[in-house]
Amino acid sequence: ILGENTSMFAQGYFVYDSKKSGAITVSHLRFGPKDIRSSYLIRTASFVACHQAFLLEKIDVLESAAPGATFLLNAQWGPDAVWEQLPLEVQRHILSKKLRLWVIDAWKVANETGMGSRINTIMQTCFFAISGVLPREEAIQAIKEAIKKSYGKRGDAIVQANFAAVDGTLANL
C-alpha cells in the first residue's frame, strides 16, 4: 500500500522458519520518502507486532523495539487482563523502553466478520490505524482499494468480509 499508493519508497525482507506448521515469520519492513538503496534486516524497530501471543513465551519479540516504539499484540485477553497475562520479561521491555502497547483480539474480529482464521487484513488495519504513517481515513481507503484489487476475482462475498474486518478492527482495537 505504501510503496504503490504513496510517494514513499518501501522494502520488505522476510525471515521464515523452516517448519511448516506453527512456523515463525519475521517481517522487516522499511519505508520512507527517500529511495532505499541498501538491503539489511531491521535491528531497531519503531513498530513491532506479534500476531501470535504464545510467541511471547518462546522468543524475545521486543528485542528490536526502539525506545518509545509501538507494540501491537494480537491476544484474546481483554484490556483489564492483558498486563497480567504478559510474561515478566515482556512487561520489563514495555516499561523500560516506554513502549506504546495496543491489543486486539484479531481472531474474534475475524470470526465475527466471516474471515475464518485469516487475520492479515485485521493486523494491517491496526498498523495503519495506530502508526500515523498515513492519515487514518486515507489509510482505510487504501486498504479497501487493495482488498478490491487482491480479492475482487474471488467474488463480492470475500471483498465484503474483508471490508467488514477493516471496520470491525477499528471498533475493537
Side-chain angles (χ1 to χ4, degrees):
I1 288 173
L2 291 173
E4 293 180 4
N5 299 314
T6 72
S7 60
M8 287 192 227
F9 294 91
Q11 180 185 72
Y13 280 99
F14 305 92
V15 179
Y16 299 98
D17 192 332
S18 61
K19 294 185 293 179
K20 291 191 183 228
S21 178
I24 297 169
T25 300
V26 179
S27 304
H28 295 260
L29 307 173
R30 299 187 309 150
F31 51 87
K34 296 181 182 176
D35 190 13
I36 300 170
R37 295 177 182 233
S38 168
S39 58
Y40 58 85
L41 300 179
I42 295 171
R43 292 191 201 140
T44 306
S46 59
F47 190 97
V48 175
C50 180
H51 295 210
Q52 307 262 358
F54 78 88
L55 291 174
L56 299 174
E57 298 281 352
K58 294 184 169 224
I59 62 173
D60 189 354
V61 171
L62 297 175
E63 177 182 27
S64 64
T70 298
F71 175 38
L72 170 62
L73 176 63
N74 174 31
Q76 296 175 322
W77 313 304
D80 296 335
V82 68
W83 186 256
E84 292 78 26
Q85 296 296 324
L86 295 175
L88 189 56
E89 191 58 33
V90 172
Q91 292 178 2
R92 285 187 186 125
H93 270 301
I94 291 169
L95 293 173
S96 68
K97 294 182 177 186
K98 297 180 178 166
L99 303 181
R100 294 176 48 225
L101 174 62
W102 291 80
V103 180
I104 188 163
D105 185 347
W107 308 113
K108 176 182 157 226
V109 175
N111 187 46
E112 290 175 350
T113 58
M115 296 291 291
S117 62
R118 293 172 199 86
I119 64 167
N120 59 325
T121 297
I122 296 157
M123 297 301 284
Q124 178 184 64
T125 301
C126 289
F127 167 76
F128 280 109
I130 62 180
S131 69
V133 172
L134 292 175
R136 186 180 272 204
E137 292 305 315
E138 182 181 331
I140 299 307
Q141 183 61 35
I143 291 168
K144 289 184 175 182
E145 289 299 321
I147 287 168
K148 285 182 200 172
K149 183 177 176 183
S150 297
Y151 303 115
K153 291 180 183 176
R154 294 186 184 178
D156 192 54
I158 300 292
V159 171
Q160 293 306 315
N162 276 272
F163 283 2
V166 170
D167 297 336
T169 299
L170 299 174
N172 285 280
L173 182 60

